Amino acid sequence: MSSNPQNPDPQALNLATIGEETPLLPQPTKKGKTPLPKAQLSILLLASLSEPISSQCIYPFINQLVSELDITGGDEKKVGYYAGLIESLFFTAQALTVLRWSRLSDVIGRKPVILIGLFGLCISNVAFGLSRTFWTLIISRSVAGLLNGNIGVMKSMIGELADSTNMAQAFATLPLMWCVGVTVGPFTGGILARPHDRFPGVFSGTFWIQYPYFLPCFAAACFTAIGFLTVALFAKETLPSRKDSKRIGFESTLNSQTAADNDVIPSELSAAEQQAPTDEIISFRVLITSPSVMIPIANYGFLALLELAYLALQPLFYSTPTDIGGLGFSPSMIGTWMALYGIIDGVFQVLFLAKIVDRWGAKRIFTTAVVCFFPLITLFPVMSWVIRLQGGVGPAIWALLVLQLILLVIMDMSYATIFIFVTSAAPNKRSLGALNGLGQTTASIARAIAPAMSTSLFALTMEKNLLGGYAVYLILYVMSGILVWLATRLPDQLPERD
């Protein structure tokens, strides 16, 4: 067909104006950050504090509790075996059920599942404080894990409250809550343990002598009860219910009819209106066979394995006598130092993490954070060597502890960034619960293995003098290398998410 030179074709003119460097697709305009729903997010954060407080409050006194119950038969070198086992039980039991809880939350809603988890955690805390045998300690920790799939469900709720513009800011609050829990939990466990010794004027009865570690466990249970009541009274469901789906479908139909009446093309409808009628739950088989899903999950699982192995080793190293390579700290000193780390870490994550991710990107920050495990692991044998050289805790040890704290703060940026990758990997919103459940199952299995693995390796290394006492650190080095390699497999760019 010939074109009329007097009436040029507009399409031909448009093509003529396109240069080699002109983008062929319309470029999206940069969107401003969507404001976060602060009230609902605050309720979730308050509830999420229950798990770290409950798990961390036993760390300052668990080694002493194992020794006093004579579980080891008087052999102090075996304390690490049993302490690590007790610390692992929560995550072992959680790994068995967390995926079921997360899948259930895709059907019945997030809020009921969270309430069940908080109730189970409250009961188990009280039971742990009243336990005087090894088996009752095991049962109480197992009940907490079996009934608690909260962290995966809470990540789904935060993912449903956020979009791609404010996701880093939203997920930065989760490490903050963990840091607050790491602060409050060990501080509570260290200060309130054995109250008849520390506060004899108030806690002088025979009950406190018979149950010297009930008070910190009861304090954790009270905080969990507050979280339960807050969620029950004020939290709103984020999962679209059948009623909401019908309402969205009705509004979509109504808007479509209105668009037709006004000659509006369907592409101008909102994303929610177009997506809601076809947004179905993705099968579990599809999720686990998708590389885009499993690579973030693998990173999350290995991060949880290495991080908790390190955190379980840290108080054990602090409490180990100086003559066999530790620092010889008391429970109150351990609790105070770990609380200080929690405060500094929490403030840093909230104030700076989102800005750092926005500037340098999630993948770069995650990779940098996990590389910090190498110097963190190195500090253990260095401090052991220094304290043997000096014959006690001196200025050099405190300088190394400050360096350790700084590296831990940098390392902790890895959690918020990997949460972003996991959430962004969800094929649609109705599969978000299953995806977070899969991630939490992987992390729970890793966390179930990690404490017993690292503390047992530490005890075995000290007992058998393996590789001069450094075998446990060599294994952690290898694990760190695997995690850094997995980090390089993450996508360079994250998809847009409404």
Side-chain angles (χ1 to χ4, degrees), residues 51-60 178 181-182 185-186 189 308 311 338:
E51 183 172 324
I53 288 177
S54 299
S55 63
Q56 296 290 314
C57 76
I58 73 170
Y59 274 58
W178 181 263
V182 169
L308 206 69
L311 290 181
M338 294 179 73

Side-chain angles (χ1 to χ4, degrees), residues 54-244:
S54 299
S55 63
Q56 296 290 314
C57 76
I58 73 170
Y59 274 58
F61 63 79
I62 185 61
N63 298 302
Q64 283 73 22
L65 176 59
V66 169
S67 297
E68 291 171 9
L69 294 181
D70 199 27
I71 295 173
T72 63
D75 189 350
E76 290 295 322
K77 293 182 179 179
K78 294 182 179 179
V79 168
Y81 295 112
Y82 293 94
L85 176 61
I86 294 171
E87 292 164 359
S88 300
L89 279 172
F90 172 85
F91 299 107
T92 303
Q94 188 183 63
L96 298 175
T97 58
V98 65
L99 180 58
R100 297 291 183 183
W101 288 120
S102 295
R103 295 287 280 183
L104 183 63
S105 75
D106 282 334
V107 179
I108 69 172
R110 317 295 189 200
K111 184 175 176 178
V113 175
I114 288 178
L115 290 175
I116 294 171
L118 291 173
F119 179 79
L121 193 60
C122 184
I123 296 300
S124 68
N125 281 329
V126 175
F128 191 89
L130 295 174
S131 298
R132 296 299 300 163
T133 66
F134 180 62
W135 287 107
T136 52
L137 292 174
I138 286 179
I139 293 171
S140 60
R141 292 292 282 181
S142 299
V143 168
L146 290 172
L147 293 178
N148 197 331
N150 280 1
I151 190 64
V153 180
M154 288 178 183
K155 290 173 190 172
S156 298
M157 293 187 77
I158 292 175
E160 289 161 346
L161 291 171
D163 60 23
S164 57
T165 66
N166 57 16
M167 195 179 298
Q169 184 181 1
F171 280 115
T173 58
L174 273 181
L176 167 65
M177 291 301 103
W178 181 263
C179 293
V180 173
V182 169
T183 303
V184 176
F187 184 78
T188 302
I191 296 298
L192 299 183
R194 305 187 64 85
H196 62 283
D197 291 337
R198 299 180 61 86
F199 315 104
V202 180
F203 303 96
S204 58
T206 56
F207 175 85
W208 303 108
I209 298 175
Q210 187 176 1
Y211 302 101
Y213 305 107
F214 173 76
L215 188 59
C217 296
F218 181 70
C222 290
F223 188 89
T224 304
I226 293 173
F228 178 91
L229 293 175
T230 304
V231 171
L233 295 176
F234 303 111
K236 296 180 181 179
E237 181 60 65
T238 60
L239 180 73
S241 63
R242 293 181 180 180
K243 180 179 180 180
D244 292 333

Side-chain angles (χ1 to χ4, degrees), residues 421-437:
F421 280 106
V422 172
T423 301
S424 299
N428 59 28
K429 292 182 179 180
R430 291 299 302 277
S431 61
L432 185 57
L435 186 61
N436 277 311

